[in-house]
Amino acid sequence: MKRKVLIFMRNVFVMMMLCAVVTAQESAQWRGEHRNGIYSEQGLLKTWAENGPAMIWETLDAGKGYSSPVISGNRLYITGLNEDGDKEIFSAYELDGKKIYSKEYGAPWKQSYPDARTTPAIVNGKAYVISGSGEIVCFNIADGAVVWTVDGGTVFERKTGNWGTSECPLVFDNKVIYTPAGEQTTMVALNAATGETVWKSPPLGDVGAYVSPILINYKGKRQIVGGTGVNFFGVDPETGDIEWKFDEWQEPPREGGDRPRRPQGNDSLRQRPQGDRPQGGDRPQGDRPRRPQGKIAPNSPLYQDGQIFFSQGYNMGSYMLKLNDDLKGVTLLWKNPDFDTHHGGYVLFNNTIYGSNWINNNQGNWLAIDWYTGETKYDNAWEGKGKGSIIAADGLLYCYDERRGTVGLVNPTTDKFDVVSEFRITQGEGPYWAHPVINNGILYMRHGTALLAFNLKQ
C-alpha cells in the first residue's frame, strides 16, 4: 500500500512538473507570458549559420497582417485578412505548419495600413481578438466557432487615431479588457464567457492609441496600466476606476515650430559620438521639442518593482514613473529624449532597457539605457538596417529590422549594439512589423501573408 502511495505521489509530481514546463513555454498572448518580450527558453543556439537557423517550415496562407502568432498546446494561432480584404480571419495551424481552419470575424481598419493587427489571447480554450474596427470576438479554439462578438467600436463610441484599433486584448479573471477611448469611456471590461459589460471606466475625452495594456501587482494590489493618445493611466481591475494618469509630455512647441530631433540625411544612420551629448535624463530639454508630432502611442509599458516605463516615437522620448504605495498616483523619476521607440517594443534585461528609436518613419538606431537612471549606454546604427522590433530569450536579444527583414541575434552588452549573427526574411510582402515569437526552441517569424518557423536548438 505504501509503495502504491509513493508511486502515485511520484506520478503527481511528474505531471505537475510537465504542466509547469508547458505553462512556462506557452506564449499565448502578446509578447509572451508577461507581455514584456521575454521568453523563458533555455538551450538556444548562441550563433547561427551564415544563412540563419534551419527553417523547419513556411506557409504563405496566413493572410495579410502585422500581428504575431501565439502557441497554445499543440497549435499555433494567428490573425490575418481574407483574400478579398474585407474581413479579418482567425487561423489555427498544427505545429508542422498545416492549417487546421480559418474563420472570418470582424471588419478590418479601412484606411491606411488595413492589415490585421491583433495578436490573439488564448485563455481556457478560448481565443480573444479585436478587429481593426473595434469588434471584440471570442472563439472556441477547438473548432474556431464564434462564441460571442461585441461591436465595441460602436457600442462604446470609440475615438480612434489614423490607424484604427491595434490593441491585443488583456484577459484575466474572466474579464476581457478593451480601450475604446472617447467621450463615453476610456477602458472597458467584458465578461469573457458572455461578452457582457462588467465595468466602464470614466472617459478622459481622449483619442485612442494602439497600446496593449498590462496587468501589474504592487504592494499586494493589482492594477491595469494602459494608454491613450495623450494619457498613460492606471485602472482598478475590479471597478474600472482610473486611479492615476500621466500626461506631462504636453509642453508647448518651440518658437518657430518643431524641428527634427536628428539630421534626416545619411548622417542619421551613423553612430553619434557618445561624448557629444549629456546622457539619459540629464540631457537639457531646451535643445529639442518635447511636444509629440501626433497622438500616437503603440507600445506596452514595462513594469518592475513599482516602476513603470514607456516610450513612444515621433520625438516623444521615454519616461519612468514610480507608483505611490497606494497605487493612487505616480511620480516622474526620469525621462530620456534619445530612446523613443516607434512601434517595435522594448525589453528589460539585467536592469538595462533595449530597443530602437525613431529618426523618421524609415530610420532608427538601436539603444541601451539604464533602468534606474535613464542614462543612455549606447545609441548605434545597425549597418544597412533600420529600427524594428525586439524580444529576448536565453540571454540574447532577437531584433527584427523593419526595412529589409533582417533578423539579428544580439549580445546584450551596455557599450555597443553587438550583432552576433543575422539572416534575412525574404518571403512575404509589406512592412516587417510583426514581432518575433519563440516557443519550445522554435523561432516564429511573420511577414505579411508569410509565416515561418526556425529551429533555434540545432
Side-chain angles (χ1 to χ4, degrees):
M1 183 68 180
K2 183 177 180 181
R3 183 172 180 273
K4 289 182 178 179
V5 171
L6 289 173
I7 291 173
F8 174 78
M9 294 301 294
R10 182 195 66 187
N11 290 341
V12 169
F13 176 78
V14 169
M15 290 303 295
M16 288 174 66
M17 291 302 293
L18 287 174
C19 289
V21 170
V22 169
T23 300
Q25 289 180 343
E26 285 192 344
S27 312
Q29 63 171 331
W30 170 238
R31 287 179 60 79
E33 182 181 1
H34 301 292
R35 296 196 161 205
N36 59 4
I38 304 293
Y39 291 83
S40 54
E41 299 277 330
Q42 298 292 325
L44 305 183
L45 293 170
K46 301 304 179 184
T47 60
W48 298 334
E50 183 178 354
N51 295 325
M55 186 169 68
I56 302 171
W57 55 263
E58 66 175 304
T59 181
L60 298 176
D61 65 354
K64 291 182 178 180
Y66 309 124
S67 58
S68 300
V70 296
I71 296 86
S72 180
N74 60 355
R75 289 183 178 182
L76 177 150
Y77 302 92
I78 197 167
T79 60
L81 296 187
N82 65 7
E83 291 186 1
D84 294 331
D86 60 352
K87 287 286 186 180
E88 296 189 17
I89 56 173
F90 172 69
S91 300
Y93 290 82
E94 295 179 359
L95 295 185
D96 61 2
K98 180 182 178 181
K99 181 177 279 190
I100 301 169
Y101 60 74
S102 280
K103 302 294 183 178
E104 294 183 348
Y105 57 100
W109 179 242
K110 292 183 170 28
Q111 298 179 37
S112 58
Y113 300 104
D115 295 5
R117 59 256 275 145
T118 181
T119 295
I122 312 294
V123 179
N124 296 330
K126 302 293 191 296
Y128 301 89
V129 300
I130 305 175
S131 74
S133 59
E135 295 162 275
I136 307 101
V137 185
C138 172
F139 293 94
N140 186 324
I141 62 174
D143 56 8
V146 173
V147 179
W148 55 260
T149 182
V150 173
D151 185 358
T154 299
V155 171
F156 303 113
E157 300 175 321
R158 74 168 181 168
K159 185 177 181 181
T160 187
N162 294 334
W163 297 285
T165 296
S166 300
E167 174 183 357
C168 302
L170 174 66
V171 184
F172 66 95
D173 290 354
N174 199 39
K175 300 185 185 80
V176 182
I177 305 302
Y178 166 55
T179 315
E183 305 298 331
Q184 181 188 136
T185 179
T186 299
M187 177 177 282
V188 301
L190 306 180
N191 184 296
T194 66
E196 296 177 352
T197 301
V198 177
W199 50 252
K200 297 193 300 181
S201 67
L204 294 174
D206 193 5
V207 67
Y210 317 99
V211 175
S212 299
I214 64 172
L215 181 68
I216 66 171
N217 193 319
Y218 184 56
K219 301 290 185 179
K221 181 180 177 181
R222 296 187 304 172
Q223 191 173 76
I224 304 167
V225 180
T228 57
V230 174
N231 295 280
F232 267 74
F233 52 85
V235 173
D236 186 321
E238 302 302 322
T239 65
D241 292 339
I242 295 177
E243 300 186 291
W244 60 265
K245 66 185 181 72
F246 176 86
D247 64 354
E248 292 183 23
W249 51 71
Q250 298 301 300
E251 298 180 10
R254 291 165 51 90
E255 184 178 352
D258 294 347
R259 63 178 177 87
R261 66 175 281 245
R262 293 190 186 90
Q264 299 300 301
N266 293 333
D267 287 345
S268 64
L269 291 180
R270 292 203 293 265
Q271 178 180 352
R272 293 170 296 158
Q274 296 298 306
D276 288 351
R277 59 182 176 6
Q279 298 295 306
D282 294 332
R283 182 183 180 108
Q285 296 304 305
D287 64 347
R288 89 168 42 168
R290 301 308 308 145
R291 176 179 176 136
Q293 295 183 358
K295 297 177 180 178
I296 302 167
N299 298 302
S300 296
L302 291 177
Y303 171 77
Q304 177 178 261
D305 298 333
Q307 294 183 200
I308 299 167
F309 170 86
F310 57 89
S311 176
Q312 304 176 37
Y314 301 95
N315 292 339
M316 289 283 287
S318 54
Y319 299 80
M320 182 68 78
L321 307 180
K322 173 65 176 178
L323 274 168
N324 294 353
D325 285 350
D326 62 1
L327 280 69
K328 298 292 187 180
V330 292
T331 301
L332 175 64
L333 295 182
W334 55 258
K335 51 187 175 181
N336 181 313
D338 301 327
F339 195 105
D340 60 339
T341 297
H342 194 192
H343 46 62
Y346 25 73
V347 296
L348 173 62
F349 185 82
N350 286 342
N351 295 318
T352 303
I353 305 166
Y354 296 90
S356 61
N357 65 7
W358 180 87
I359 293 174
N360 57 46
N361 282 347
N362 297 312
Q363 299 173 346
N365 290 342
W366 293 81
L367 293 84
I369 65 174
D370 186 272
W371 173 267
Y372 294 107
T373 67
E375 176 188 3
T376 300
K377 297 296 187 178
Y378 67 73
D379 184 344
N380 296 168
W382 185 0
E383 185 177 357
K385 292 86 178 176
K387 57 188 172 62
S389 55
I390 186 172
I391 63 170
D394 198 18
L396 291 169
L397 309 176
Y398 293 75
C399 300
Y400 190 22
D401 155 49
E402 70 178 51
R403 295 178 64 200
R404 301 182 71 249
T406 301
V407 185
L409 186 64
V410 178
N411 186 26
T413 70
T414 56
D415 57 357
K416 66 177 180 177
F417 185 66
D418 183 19
V419 180
V420 176
S421 302
E422 62 182 56
F423 74 103
R424 188 177 171 219
I425 302 294
T426 58
Q427 300 89 333
E429 69 291 306
Y432 296 86
W433 285 345
H435 292 209
V437 170
I438 300 176
N439 180 269
N440 198 26
I442 307 299
L443 172 67
Y444 295 95
M445 304 297 302
R446 199 257 180 88
H447 179 214
T449 59
L451 179 62
L452 307 96
F454 299 88
N455 192 335
L456 293 181
K457 289 199 170 183
Q458 55 179 288

